[in-house]
Amino acid sequence: MEKKQNCPGRDIAGFFLLGLSLIMLGRSLMLCFSNDIWYDELFTVGMIEHSYGELVRFTAADVHPPLYYCIVKLFVDLCKLIVSGIGTVIPAKIASVLPYFILLPYAVTLIRKRFGLFVGGLFLFCVTAMPQLPAYTVEVRMYSWALLFVTAAFLHAGELIDIYVNQKTASAETGPAAGETEGGQRQKQKRRLHGAALTFYGLAAAYTQYFACVAVVMVYLWVLLVFWFRDRRRIREWFLYVAISVICYVPWIFALAGQLGTVSENYWILPLTWRSLGGCVKFLMKPAFTDDRVNTVLAVVLFAAYLILWCRLVVKLCHNRREKCKQGENGREIWNAGAGGQAERFQYATAGVAVLAGLVAFGFAASFLLRPIFVYRYMIPALGCFWLGFALCMDDILCKPGAEQEGNNISRHNIRRNRIAYFAGAALTVLIVIVGLRDYRAFMGEEEYKICLMAETEEALSLIGPQDSVLYNFDQVQAVTGYYMPETVERYLWRAEGERLIQEITSPCGKVEDAQQIRKMLETMKAEGQEKNLWFVGSFNSREDIVAEWREAGLEVEEKGSFLLERYWFNLYKIS
């Protein structure tokens, strides 16, 4: 086992990054206190207002597993039990922040003990603030939980591998009886604990999101490869974890088969091209500065930096192995270094990238061979592993110059080269902090803007009375705005039909074909002699054409204003 270096500078940076992460997560909690949701979030909010049995039935009819919805429903029900009248949306948003607070103990325990505080702090900062990720701290979807489960499975898999390496080293040094000692029994108990945790988190990921399941498969492949090349007797243990996982997933297999049939017949995802690989890089790395050219350049710089750091680690390991061989030592041992060593950083970093690469490869292969099923946000479950790999590469370049060759005769040229690498790593760390803070600030500003306008939107929607009727020209706006209206309000889509599942989850929606039908609706309201109004919630530029058509047909259409609901701009009109 390598002796850990005393690096107070990196520890201070680690504390600083952890502090920034906690501040941002606290701010995300404050941003949860808003009622705005969009169409995908409506599925979550609508489902958790039903019973657990109905929730599972709705999920089986959708394209996701049920665990996330059960977690959110349990949390929301507990919040409603403690705080009466709290509603559904706010605690559901808070539930999306919770996984990051669960990742915090992992950052300061497993990651810190193995690789140091700097790696733990940079890891948590990256999964909280790097491009695209801040939005998912408050979005009422399963992505933050999927990221937690995959990352935790990855970390416990690493612990399992490390325990195996330590046991093998101990056996080689003290003989076969080592496993019977108190230390050996303790290692055996830890192996069982981490094996159980790997199985649990892997199953949780598979029951949360299917691409999270793919990411966990990549984690299992990592463990299999390590066992295969180091001691194939351990593969029996690997098969045990896989068998338990498969058996526990059998109850959902029939629902999965039905979902696959639905996807094969009709699905909304657009076809991929090879240019989509560049889109993956943009999704991962492109920051949120005001100048898009700057964002593109920085995305390229960050991606190239990650690649260069990883290649540098490979070169250093190969060089160290050759030096060992020249000295007559076993060169293979350099790849099996102890906790916190350079070889272990390389193994974790490579495995972290491989988890994401395997997920993307699966998504592209399935999309090309079957039908499009992959969108960029489906990479999020693997991004905890990906950014942990980046943090490990950064930690390696920031090691004290010449520390790894301590006790050896090294040239001034090598010392100078290591110092240049050190300062380059420090500059890259500063750039990462700037990019992350800017990205989070852009997210925060957008959320605050939505919250500000949401008050006006709710006031406008309150004009629609319980006995009124509403026309729409876009089904997503119909579904989302309908959530904020009384259940007795009748809703209609103009020459379109709403999605069947969302109507079953929330409320039904009719269809209107022409202006004559609208005229009959107004006549019926007048004949009933009640205070009823007919409204039009119009979206996109087509609303102007629709209003013009109605006015030509003799209808009076009065505009009440333009409003924003989460990400949907719409105009509100009163028809008479």
Side-chain angles (χ1 to χ4, degrees):
M1 183 177 292
E2 292 185 11
K3 184 180 179 180
K4 292 185 179 180
Q5 308 293 334
N6 292 322
C7 302
R10 277 189 292 169
D11 288 345
I12 293 172
F15 273 116
F16 176 71
L17 291 167
L18 283 173
L20 285 180
S21 303
L22 285 174
I23 291 171
M24 290 185 292
L25 290 176
R27 189 71 184 108
S28 292
L29 278 177
M30 296 175 64
L31 294 173
C32 291
F33 290 86
S34 173
N35 275 326
D36 57 313
I37 57 174
W38 70 292
Y39 189 66
D40 280 10
E41 293 176 300
L42 181 63
F43 276 89
T44 303
V45 173
M47 283 186 189
I48 64 178
E49 292 182 346
H50 293 269
S51 66
Y52 284 98
E54 289 180 308
L55 183 153
V56 172
R57 180 174 65 84
F58 288 142
T59 308
D62 192 24
V63 291
H64 293 295
L67 179 60
Y68 163 73
Y69 302 104
C70 293
I71 292 173
V72 178
K73 178 173 175 57
L74 177 62
F75 182 77
V76 170
D77 288 347
L78 287 174
C79 289
K80 289 182 176 180
L81 186 64
I82 297 172
V83 182
S84 59
I86 193 175
T88 300
V89 174
I90 292 174
K93 288 187 175 186
I94 294 174
S96 294
V97 189
L98 295 181
Y100 297 92
F101 285 101
I102 299 174
L103 282 174
L104 173 63
Y106 277 100
V108 298
T109 55
L110 289 185
I111 298 176
R112 179 189 62 80
K113 289 178 181 178
R114 185 161 305 284
F115 301 110
L117 188 60
F118 174 77
V119 176
L122 183 58
F123 157 75
L124 190 63
F125 178 83
C126 287
V127 297
T128 303
M130 288 307 284
Q132 311 303 328
L133 288 172
Y136 294 95
T137 61
V138 298
E139 184 167 284
V140 190
R141 296 298 286 164
M142 72 286 298
Y143 298 106
S144 60
W145 285 94
L147 186 148
L148 165 66
F149 293 144
V150 173
T151 306
F154 182 81
L155 292 172
H156 286 288
E159 292 294 313
L160 193 65
I161 291 171
D162 181 68
I163 290 171
Y164 154 73
V165 172
N166 288 340
Q167 278 193 331
K168 187 175 180 181
T169 304
S171 297
E173 293 176 353
T174 62
E180 299 175 3
T181 65
E182 181 180 350
Q185 291 297 324
R186 193 181 310 116
Q187 291 287 75
K188 190 175 182 179
Q189 292 175 357
K190 289 177 65 177
R191 190 177 74 243
R192 289 176 177 174
L193 173 64
H194 290 297
L198 168 62
T199 306
F200 170 78
Y201 282 116
L203 274 169
Y207 270 106
T208 298
Q209 207 246 7
Y210 293 125
F211 275 91
C213 179
V214 174
V216 167
V217 169
M218 300 303 149
V219 174
Y220 271 99
L221 286 177
W222 172 37
V223 178
L224 176 62
L225 287 172
V226 173
F227 287 174
W228 179 271
F229 286 107
R230 293 186 178 178
D231 189 350
R232 296 181 184 179
R233 292 174 298 177
R234 294 288 181 182
I235 294 178
R236 290 177 296 179
E237 183 179 331
W238 181 87
F239 272 113
L240 175 63
Y241 304 144
V242 173
I244 294 173
S245 300
V246 171
I247 291 171
C248 292
Y249 206 66
V250 166
W252 190 249
I253 292 296
F254 296 104
L256 173 59
Q259 291 175 338
L260 291 175
T262 301
V263 168
S264 64
E265 294 173 2
N266 182 30
Y267 205 39
W268 56 270
I269 295 178
L270 298 175
L272 298 176
T273 66
W274 292 114
R275 294 183 63 183
S276 301
L277 289 172
C280 291
V281 175
K282 287 183 179 180
F283 183 88
L284 292 172
M285 301 291 189
K286 191 175 182 180
F289 291 94
T290 53
D291 192 332
D292 194 60
R293 292 171 298 180
V294 173
N295 294 334
T296 302
V297 170
L298 286 176
V300 174
V301 169
L302 291 175
F303 180 75
Y306 199 148
L307 184 61
I308 291 170
L309 288 173
W310 183 85
C311 291
R312 177 181 179 274
L313 196 51
V314 174
V315 171
K316 288 177 67 177
L317 283 169
C318 292
H319 173 75
N320 292 343
R321 181 181 180 181
R322 286 195 300 269
E323 291 298 319
K324 286 280 187 179
C325 291
K326 288 179 182 179
Q327 297 170 15
E329 302 178 28
N330 185 359
R332 291 186 62 185
E333 290 180 359
I334 196 68
W335 300 94
N336 299 328
Q342 190 178 84
E344 191 176 22
R345 286 197 293 267
F346 167 76
Q347 183 187 132
Y348 266 74
T350 303
V353 174
V355 169
L356 176 61
L359 184 152
V360 173
F362 174 85
F364 271 70
S367 297
F368 285 143
L369 297 175
L370 302 174
R371 64 163 297 114
I373 61 169
F374 179 76
V375 292
Y376 298 141
R377 66 174 178 269
Y378 289 170
M379 294 189 290
I380 290 172
L383 292 192
C385 306
F386 177 80
W387 286 114
L388 176 60
F390 179 80
L392 290 166
C393 291
M394 288 293 298
D395 183 63
D396 181 75
I397 200 174
L398 289 172
C399 282
K400 185 178 180 181
E404 291 161 1
Q405 296 96 339
E406 189 175 355
N408 297 334
N409 293 323
I410 57 175
S411 66
R412 292 182 178 179
H413 171 72
N414 286 337
I415 294 177
R416 190 184 309 113
R417 184 180 59 190
N418 287 341
R419 284 176 177 169
I420 292 173
Y422 177 84
F423 288 118
L428 183 57
T429 303
V430 173
L431 177 62
I432 289 295
V433 172
I434 293 172
V435 168
L437 290 177
R438 173 56 191 172
D439 199 70
Y440 190 87
R441 181 64 187 89
F443 151 75
M444 188 173 68
E446 184 177 348
E447 288 298 310
E448 290 172 342
Y449 178 68
K450 292 176 182 177
I451 292 171
C452 180
L453 293 184
M454 185 61 192
E456 299 177 7
T457 302
E458 288 186 300
E459 183 179 351
L461 293 177
S462 67
L463 298 175
I464 301 173
Q467 305 303 318
D468 292 351
S469 299
V470 187
L471 290 172
Y472 299 87
N473 66 326
F474 182 39
D475 62 337
Q476 292 191 15
V477 172
Q478 175 271 314
V480 176
T481 58
Y483 180 78
Y484 300 91
M485 299 177 188
E487 294 183 1
T488 54
V489 173
E490 294 182 351
R491 305 173 185 90
Y492 302 90
L493 277 169
W494 174 251
R495 295 173 179 169
E497 293 183 357
E499 186 174 346
R500 182 192 59 80
L501 180 60
I502 196 66
Q503 291 187 58
E504 188 177 357
I505 293 173
T506 55
S507 58
C509 177
K511 180 180 180 181
V512 173
E513 293 285 358
D514 52 40
Q516 184 61 31
Q517 192 173 349
I518 297 176
R519 191 183 300 279
K520 289 181 179 179
M521 292 171 62
L522 291 170
E523 291 174 354
T524 301
M525 291 178 181
K526 186 176 181 180
E528 291 176 353
Q530 299 181 7
E531 284 292 330
K532 292 184 178 181
N533 296 303
L534 181 60
W535 303 85
F536 173 50
V537 175
S539 310
F540 307 117
N541 293 333
S542 60
R543 64 176 177 255
E544 303 296 337
D545 297 331
I546 295 171
V547 169
E549 179 182 344
W550 291 345
R551 285 171 176 164
E552 288 179 3
L555 298 174
E556 293 185 10
V557 184
E558 179 187 0
E559 182 176 342
K560 296 295 185 178
S562 182
F563 307 96
L564 176 68
L565 175 54
E566 225 297 320
R567 60 186 64 184
Y568 304 110
W569 280 101
F570 65 86
N571 286 12
L572 181 63
Y573 302 87
K574 187 175 183 181
I575 306 174
S576 58

